[in-house]
mmCIF file of all heavy atoms in Angstrom:
data_model
loop_
_atom_site.group_PDB
_atom_site.id
_atom_site.type_symbol
_atom_site.label_atom_id
_atom_site.label_comp_id
_atom_site.label_asym_id
_atom_site.label_seq_id
_atom_site.Cartn_x
_atom_site.Cartn_y
_atom_site.Cartn_z
ATOM 1 N N LEU A 27 123.746 -92.729 -9.934
ATOM 2 C CA LEU A 27 123.828 -92.795 -8.481
ATOM 3 C C LEU A 27 124.773 -93.901 -8.041
ATOM 4 O O LEU A 27 125.612 -93.722 -7.149
ATOM 5 C CB LEU A 27 122.431 -93.019 -7.906
ATOM 6 C CG LEU A 27 122.225 -92.844 -6.410
ATOM 7 C CD1 LEU A 27 122.533 -91.428 -5.977
ATOM 8 C CD2 LEU A 27 120.788 -93.197 -6.047
ATOM 9 N N ARG A 28 124.652 -95.056 -8.688
ATOM 10 C CA ARG A 28 125.504 -96.195 -8.326
ATOM 11 C C ARG A 28 126.963 -95.949 -8.710
ATOM 12 O O ARG A 28 127.855 -96.636 -8.197
ATOM 13 C CB ARG A 28 124.981 -97.460 -8.998
ATOM 14 C CG ARG A 28 123.586 -97.879 -8.523
ATOM 15 C CD ARG A 28 123.215 -99.232 -9.127
ATOM 16 N NE ARG A 28 121.823 -99.605 -8.899
ATOM 17 C CZ ARG A 28 121.373 -100.206 -7.795
ATOM 18 N NH1 ARG A 28 122.205 -100.470 -6.810
ATOM 19 N NH2 ARG A 28 120.096 -100.526 -7.683
ATOM 20 N N CYS A 29 127.210 -95.002 -9.610
ATOM 21 C CA CYS A 29 128.591 -94.681 -10.003
ATOM 22 C C CYS A 29 129.322 -93.863 -8.949
ATOM 23 O O CYS A 29 130.561 -93.785 -8.973
ATOM 24 C CB CYS A 29 128.600 -93.917 -11.331
ATOM 25 S SG CYS A 29 128.266 -94.931 -12.768
ATOM 26 N N LEU A 30 128.584 -93.244 -8.062
ATOM 27 C CA LEU A 30 129.220 -92.381 -7.067
ATOM 28 C C LEU A 30 129.974 -93.232 -6.049
ATOM 29 O O LEU A 30 129.438 -94.229 -5.538
ATOM 30 C CB LEU A 30 128.164 -91.529 -6.353
ATOM 31 C CG LEU A 30 127.486 -90.462 -7.213
ATOM 32 C CD1 LEU A 30 126.334 -89.816 -6.461
ATOM 33 C CD2 LEU A 30 128.494 -89.392 -7.646
ATOM 34 N N PRO A 31 131.203 -92.853 -5.716
ATOM 35 C CA PRO A 31 132.004 -93.666 -4.783
ATOM 36 C C PRO A 31 131.403 -93.659 -3.386
ATOM 37 O O PRO A 31 131.026 -92.615 -2.861
ATOM 38 C CB PRO A 31 133.359 -92.956 -4.795
ATOM 39 C CG PRO A 31 133.050 -91.538 -5.190
ATOM 40 C CD PRO A 31 131.908 -91.640 -6.157
ATOM 41 N N GLY A 32 131.279 -94.846 -2.799
ATOM 42 C CA GLY A 32 130.782 -94.941 -1.429
ATOM 43 C C GLY A 32 129.285 -95.015 -1.295
ATOM 44 O O GLY A 32 128.770 -95.149 -0.184
ATOM 45 N N VAL A 33 128.552 -94.930 -2.416
ATOM 46 C CA VAL A 33 127.097 -94.970 -2.346
ATOM 47 C C VAL A 33 126.614 -96.411 -2.362
ATOM 48 O O VAL A 33 127.017 -97.210 -3.210
ATOM 49 C CB VAL A 33 126.469 -94.180 -3.510
ATOM 50 C CG1 VAL A 33 124.951 -94.383 -3.544
ATOM 51 C CG2 VAL A 33 126.792 -92.702 -3.377
ATOM 52 N N ARG A 34 125.756 -96.755 -1.408
ATOM 53 C CA ARG A 34 125.137 -98.076 -1.328
ATOM 54 C C ARG A 34 123.636 -97.899 -1.515
ATOM 55 O O ARG A 34 122.975 -97.282 -0.693
ATOM 56 C CB ARG A 34 125.392 -98.730 0.038
ATOM 57 C CG ARG A 34 126.807 -98.576 0.582
ATOM 58 C CD ARG A 34 127.774 -99.548 -0.077
ATOM 59 N NE ARG A 34 129.000 -99.675 0.689
ATOM 60 C CZ ARG A 34 130.106 -98.966 0.477
ATOM 61 N NH1 ARG A 34 130.116 -98.030 -0.469
ATOM 62 N NH2 ARG A 34 131.200 -99.176 1.189
ATOM 63 N N VAL A 35 123.113 -98.416 -2.620
ATOM 64 C CA VAL A 35 121.693 -98.253 -2.943
ATOM 65 C C VAL A 35 120.954 -99.562 -2.690
ATOM 66 O O VAL A 35 121.342 -100.610 -3.209
ATOM 67 C CB VAL A 35 121.494 -97.819 -4.409
ATOM 68 C CG1 VAL A 35 120.006 -97.686 -4.723
ATOM 69 C CG2 VAL A 35 122.219 -96.505 -4.684
ATOM 70 N N THR A 36 119.893 -99.490 -1.900
ATOM 71 C CA THR A 36 119.019 -100.636 -1.661
ATOM 72 C C THR A 36 117.603 -100.251 -2.059
ATOM 73 O O THR A 36 117.051 -99.294 -1.514
ATOM 74 C CB THR A 36 119.031 -101.050 -0.170
ATOM 75 O OG1 THR A 36 120.366 -101.379 0.229
ATOM 76 C CG2 THR A 36 118.115 -102.233 0.068
ATOM 77 N N VAL A 37 117.034 -100.937 -3.028
ATOM 78 C CA VAL A 37 115.644 -100.704 -3.399
ATOM 79 C C VAL A 37 114.771 -101.495 -2.422
ATOM 80 O O VAL A 37 114.566 -102.703 -2.567
ATOM 81 C CB VAL A 37 115.369 -101.125 -4.854
ATOM 82 C CG1 VAL A 37 113.891 -100.904 -5.192
ATOM 83 C CG2 VAL A 37 116.256 -100.326 -5.812
ATOM 84 N N ALA A 38 114.282 -100.797 -1.407
ATOM 85 C CA ALA A 38 113.555 -101.452 -0.308
ATOM 86 C C ALA A 38 112.061 -101.424 -0.588
ATOM 87 O O ALA A 38 111.264 -100.867 0.183
ATOM 88 C CB ALA A 38 113.890 -100.765 1.015
ATOM 89 N N ASP A 39 111.673 -102.059 -1.696
ATOM 90 C CA ASP A 39 110.261 -102.131 -2.039
ATOM 91 C C ASP A 39 109.616 -103.316 -1.308
ATOM 92 O O ASP A 39 110.253 -103.971 -0.477
ATOM 93 C CB ASP A 39 110.081 -102.233 -3.553
ATOM 94 C CG ASP A 39 110.868 -103.399 -4.161
ATOM 95 O OD1 ASP A 39 111.344 -104.263 -3.401
ATOM 96 O OD2 ASP A 39 111.002 -103.426 -5.397
ATOM 97 N N ARG A 40 108.373 -103.598 -1.639
ATOM 98 C CA ARG A 40 107.657 -104.666 -0.915
ATOM 99 C C ARG A 40 108.332 -106.023 -1.088
ATOM 100 O O ARG A 40 108.397 -106.825 -0.148
ATOM 101 C CB ARG A 40 106.201 -104.716 -1.378
ATOM 102 C CG ARG A 40 105.413 -103.473 -1.002
ATOM 103 C CD ARG A 40 103.943 -103.577 -1.379
ATOM 104 N NE ARG A 40 103.248 -102.328 -1.107
ATOM 105 C CZ ARG A 40 102.800 -101.949 0.084
ATOM 106 N NH1 ARG A 40 102.960 -102.754 1.124
ATOM 107 N NH2 ARG A 40 102.187 -100.800 0.247
ATOM 108 N N ALA A 41 108.854 -106.262 -2.292
ATOM 109 C CA ALA A 41 109.541 -107.537 -2.523
ATOM 110 C C ALA A 41 110.782 -107.644 -1.644
ATOM 111 O O ALA A 41 111.088 -108.724 -1.109
ATOM 112 C CB ALA A 41 109.923 -107.664 -4.005
ATOM 113 N N TRP A 42 111.488 -106.551 -1.488
ATOM 114 C CA TRP A 42 112.685 -106.565 -0.640
ATOM 115 C C TRP A 42 112.306 -106.858 0.813
ATOM 116 O O TRP A 42 112.968 -107.653 1.486
ATOM 117 C CB TRP A 42 113.413 -105.229 -0.733
ATOM 118 C CG TRP A 42 114.654 -105.152 0.109
ATOM 119 C CD1 TRP A 42 115.904 -105.603 -0.212
ATOM 120 C CD2 TRP A 42 114.771 -104.570 1.425
ATOM 121 N NE1 TRP A 42 116.800 -105.334 0.813
ATOM 122 C CE2 TRP A 42 116.131 -104.706 1.837
ATOM 123 C CE3 TRP A 42 113.883 -103.944 2.292
ATOM 124 C CZ2 TRP A 42 116.595 -104.243 3.066
ATOM 125 C CZ3 TRP A 42 114.346 -103.482 3.514
ATOM 126 C CH2 TRP A 42 115.692 -103.636 3.898
ATOM 127 N N TRP A 43 111.218 -106.252 1.270
ATOM 128 C CA TRP A 43 110.796 -106.492 2.651
ATOM 129 C C TRP A 43 110.399 -107.955 2.855
ATOM 130 O O TRP A 43 110.680 -108.533 3.906
ATOM 131 C CB TRP A 43 109.644 -105.559 3.033
ATOM 132 C CG TRP A 43 110.103 -104.170 3.363
ATOM 133 C CD1 TRP A 43 110.058 -103.065 2.565
ATOM 134 C CD2 TRP A 43 110.719 -103.744 4.582
ATOM 135 N NE1 TRP A 43 110.590 -101.974 3.212
ATOM 136 C CE2 TRP A 43 111.000 -102.353 4.445
ATOM 137 C CE3 TRP A 43 111.046 -104.379 5.777
ATOM 138 C CZ2 TRP A 43 111.597 -101.619 5.467
ATOM 139 C CZ3 TRP A 43 111.637 -103.643 6.796
ATOM 140 C CH2 TRP A 43 111.916 -102.282 6.627
ATOM 141 N N ARG A 44 109.754 -108.535 1.840
ATOM 142 C CA ARG A 44 109.413 -109.957 1.965
ATOM 143 C C ARG A 44 110.683 -110.789 2.091
ATOM 144 O O ARG A 44 110.720 -111.777 2.834
ATOM 145 C CB ARG A 44 108.594 -110.404 0.745
ATOM 146 C CG ARG A 44 107.153 -109.923 0.757
ATOM 147 C CD ARG A 44 106.292 -110.700 -0.234
ATOM 148 N NE ARG A 44 106.739 -110.499 -1.612
ATOM 149 C CZ ARG A 44 106.299 -109.526 -2.402
ATOM 150 N NH1 ARG A 44 105.409 -108.652 -1.953
ATOM 151 N NH2 ARG A 44 106.737 -109.425 -3.651
ATOM 152 N N GLY A 45 111.722 -110.394 1.369
ATOM 153 C CA GLY A 45 113.005 -111.083 1.485
ATOM 154 C C GLY A 45 113.632 -110.939 2.853
ATOM 155 O O GLY A 45 114.479 -111.753 3.256
ATOM 156 N N GLN A 46 113.234 -109.883 3.593
ATOM 157 C CA GLN A 46 113.711 -109.690 4.960
ATOM 158 C C GLN A 46 112.897 -110.503 5.963
ATOM 159 O O GLN A 46 113.161 -110.457 7.171
ATOM 160 C CB GLN A 46 113.640 -108.197 5.343
ATOM 161 C CG GLN A 46 114.421 -107.264 4.434
ATOM 162 C CD GLN A 46 115.898 -107.548 4.481
ATOM 163 O OE1 GLN A 46 116.531 -107.491 5.540
ATOM 164 N NE2 GLN A 46 116.467 -107.873 3.319
ATOM 165 N N GLY A 47 111.885 -111.214 5.451
ATOM 166 C CA GLY A 47 111.074 -112.052 6.326
ATOM 167 C C GLY A 47 110.003 -111.305 7.078
ATOM 168 O O GLY A 47 109.514 -111.783 8.109
ATOM 169 N N ARG A 48 109.581 -110.159 6.551
ATOM 170 C CA ARG A 48 108.537 -109.401 7.236
ATOM 171 C C ARG A 48 107.771 -108.553 6.225
ATOM 172 O O ARG A 48 108.228 -108.319 5.102
ATOM 173 C CB ARG A 48 109.136 -108.487 8.317
ATOM 174 C CG ARG A 48 110.145 -107.476 7.800
ATOM 175 C CD ARG A 48 110.719 -106.635 8.915
ATOM 176 N NE ARG A 48 109.709 -105.821 9.560
ATOM 177 C CZ ARG A 48 109.972 -104.969 10.546
ATOM 178 N NH1 ARG A 48 111.219 -104.848 11.021
ATOM 179 N NH2 ARG A 48 109.019 -104.253 11.100
ATOM 180 N N ARG A 49 106.583 -108.119 6.650
ATOM 181 C CA ARG A 49 105.815 -107.212 5.811
ATOM 182 C C ARG A 49 106.466 -105.828 5.822
ATOM 183 O O ARG A 49 107.125 -105.439 6.777
ATOM 184 C CB ARG A 49 104.391 -107.085 6.326
ATOM 185 C CG ARG A 49 103.505 -108.294 6.059
ATOM 186 C CD ARG A 49 102.080 -107.984 6.477
ATOM 187 N NE ARG A 49 101.167 -109.068 6.154
ATOM 188 C CZ ARG A 49 99.865 -109.008 6.390
ATOM 189 N NH1 ARG A 49 99.345 -107.924 6.957
ATOM 190 N NH2 ARG A 49 99.092 -110.021 6.069
ATOM 191 N N ARG A 50 106.242 -105.104 4.752
ATOM 192 C CA ARG A 50 106.719 -103.719 4.702
ATOM 193 C C ARG A 50 105.952 -102.903 5.742
ATOM 194 O O ARG A 50 104.724 -102.834 5.702
ATOM 195 C CB ARG A 50 106.481 -103.133 3.315
ATOM 196 C CG ARG A 50 106.903 -101.680 3.136
ATOM 197 C CD ARG A 50 106.619 -101.279 1.699
ATOM 198 N NE ARG A 50 107.074 -99.946 1.394
ATOM 199 C CZ ARG A 50 106.313 -98.848 1.471
ATOM 200 N NH1 ARG A 50 105.047 -98.957 1.885
ATOM 201 N NH2 ARG A 50 106.806 -97.682 1.143
ATOM 202 N N PRO A 51 106.643 -102.302 6.714
ATOM 203 C CA PRO A 51 105.942 -101.517 7.733
ATOM 204 C C PRO A 51 105.179 -100.356 7.109
ATOM 205 O O PRO A 51 105.675 -99.692 6.193
ATOM 206 C CB PRO A 51 107.073 -101.008 8.637
ATOM 207 C CG PRO A 51 108.196 -101.972 8.409
ATOM 208 C CD PRO A 51 108.087 -102.390 6.978
ATOM 209 N N ARG A 52 103.972 -100.124 7.579
ATOM 210 C CA ARG A 52 103.162 -99.034 7.024
ATOM 211 C C ARG A 52 103.758 -97.683 7.386
ATOM 212 O O ARG A 52 103.799 -96.762 6.552
ATOM 213 C CB ARG A 52 101.727 -99.134 7.543
ATOM 214 C CG ARG A 52 100.864 -97.924 7.192
ATOM 215 C CD ARG A 52 99.425 -98.117 7.625
ATOM 216 N NE ARG A 52 98.722 -98.959 6.665
ATOM 217 C CZ ARG A 52 97.428 -99.269 6.779
ATOM 218 N NH1 ARG A 52 96.737 -98.845 7.817
ATOM 219 N NH2 ARG A 52 96.847 -100.020 5.872
ATOM 220 N N LEU A 53 104.222 -97.526 8.616
ATOM 221 C CA LEU A 53 104.749 -96.238 9.063
ATOM 222 C C LEU A 53 106.146 -95.996 8.498
ATOM 223 O O LEU A 53 107.040 -96.830 8.620
ATOM 224 C CB LEU A 53 104.792 -96.165 10.586
ATOM 225 C CG LEU A 53 103.465 -96.033 11.327
ATOM 226 C CD1 LEU A 53 103.700 -96.003 12.825
ATOM 227 C CD2 LEU A 53 102.708 -94.785 10.880
ATOM 228 N N HIS A 54 106.307 -94.823 7.892
ATOM 229 C CA HIS A 54 107.607 -94.445 7.337
ATOM 230 C C HIS A 54 108.682 -94.435 8.416
ATOM 231 O O HIS A 54 109.819 -94.858 8.187
ATOM 232 C CB HIS A 54 107.493 -93.069 6.675
ATOM 233 C CG HIS A 54 108.750 -92.587 6.040
ATOM 234 N ND1 HIS A 54 109.388 -93.276 5.026
ATOM 235 C CD2 HIS A 54 109.503 -91.476 6.272
ATOM 236 C CE1 HIS A 54 110.467 -92.611 4.653
ATOM 237 N NE2 HIS A 54 110.565 -91.528 5.393
ATOM 238 N N GLN A 55 108.322 -93.980 9.621
ATOM 239 C CA GLN A 55 109.314 -93.904 10.695
ATOM 240 C C GLN A 55 109.854 -95.282 11.071
ATOM 241 O O GLN A 55 111.029 -95.418 11.418
ATOM 242 C CB GLN A 55 108.709 -93.229 11.939
ATOM 243 C CG GLN A 55 108.326 -91.772 11.726
ATOM 244 C CD GLN A 55 106.875 -91.616 11.338
ATOM 245 O OE1 GLN A 55 106.298 -92.487 10.680
ATOM 246 N NE2 GLN A 55 106.272 -90.503 11.746
ATOM 247 N N VAL A 56 108.994 -96.302 11.004
ATOM 248 C CA VAL A 56 109.443 -97.660 11.326
ATOM 249 C C VAL A 56 110.408 -98.157 10.258
ATOM 250 O O VAL A 56 111.437 -98.780 10.559
ATOM 251 C CB VAL A 56 108.234 -98.602 11.472
ATOM 252 C CG1 VAL A 56 108.693 -100.037 11.717
ATOM 253 C CG2 VAL A 56 107.327 -98.138 12.615
ATOM 254 N N ARG A 57 110.092 -97.878 9.001
ATOM 255 C CA ARG A 57 111.009 -98.264 7.925
ATOM 256 C C ARG A 57 112.337 -97.530 8.075
ATOM 257 O O ARG A 57 113.414 -98.118 7.906
ATOM 258 C CB ARG A 57 110.391 -97.957 6.556
ATOM 259 C CG ARG A 57 109.081 -98.701 6.302
ATOM 260 C CD ARG A 57 108.690 -98.689 4.834
ATOM 261 N NE ARG A 57 108.501 -97.361 4.286
ATOM 262 C CZ ARG A 57 107.384 -96.671 4.347
ATOM 263 N NH1 ARG A 57 106.326 -97.162 4.982
ATOM 264 N NH2 ARG A 57 107.282 -95.480 3.784
ATOM 265 N N GLN A 58 112.279 -96.251 8.402
ATOM 266 C CA GLN A 58 113.500 -95.464 8.574
ATOM 267 C C GLN A 58 114.409 -96.052 9.653
ATOM 268 O O GLN A 58 115.619 -96.222 9.446
ATOM 269 C CB GLN A 58 113.152 -94.022 8.954
ATOM 270 C CG GLN A 58 112.659 -93.153 7.817
ATOM 271 C CD GLN A 58 112.345 -91.760 8.310
ATOM 272 O OE1 GLN A 58 111.533 -91.560 9.212
ATOM 273 N NE2 GLN A 58 113.003 -90.769 7.740
ATOM 274 N N THR A 59 113.847 -96.322 10.819
ATOM 275 C CA THR A 59 114.682 -96.778 11.926
ATOM 276 C C THR A 59 115.226 -98.179 11.668
ATOM 277 O O THR A 59 116.368 -98.482 12.034
ATOM 278 C CB THR A 59 113.904 -96.748 13.254
ATOM 279 O OG1 THR A 59 112.686 -97.498 13.118
ATOM 280 C CG2 THR A 59 113.552 -95.321 13.633
#
């Protein structure tokens, strides 16, 4: 996947959300937006 040109992959797991300074939102729609 990372080999494909133009693809930006972010593993947005709970640890990533903590790095964003917030809890991982429970609602999928909130994470999406």
Side-chain angles (χ1 to χ4, degrees):
L27 192 62
R28 296 186 189 275
C29 285
L30 292 172
V33 172
R34 318 281 197 266
V35 179
T36 301
V37 178
D39 54 13
R40 294 184 185 279
W42 180 83
W43 281 101
R44 285 196 297 271
Q46 302 297 302
R48 59 181 296 182
R49 286 186 176 182
R50 179 179 184 266
R52 171 175 281 182
L53 288 179
H54 181 60
Q55 295 94 328
V56 176
R57 300 196 300 274
Q58 284 180 302
T59 54

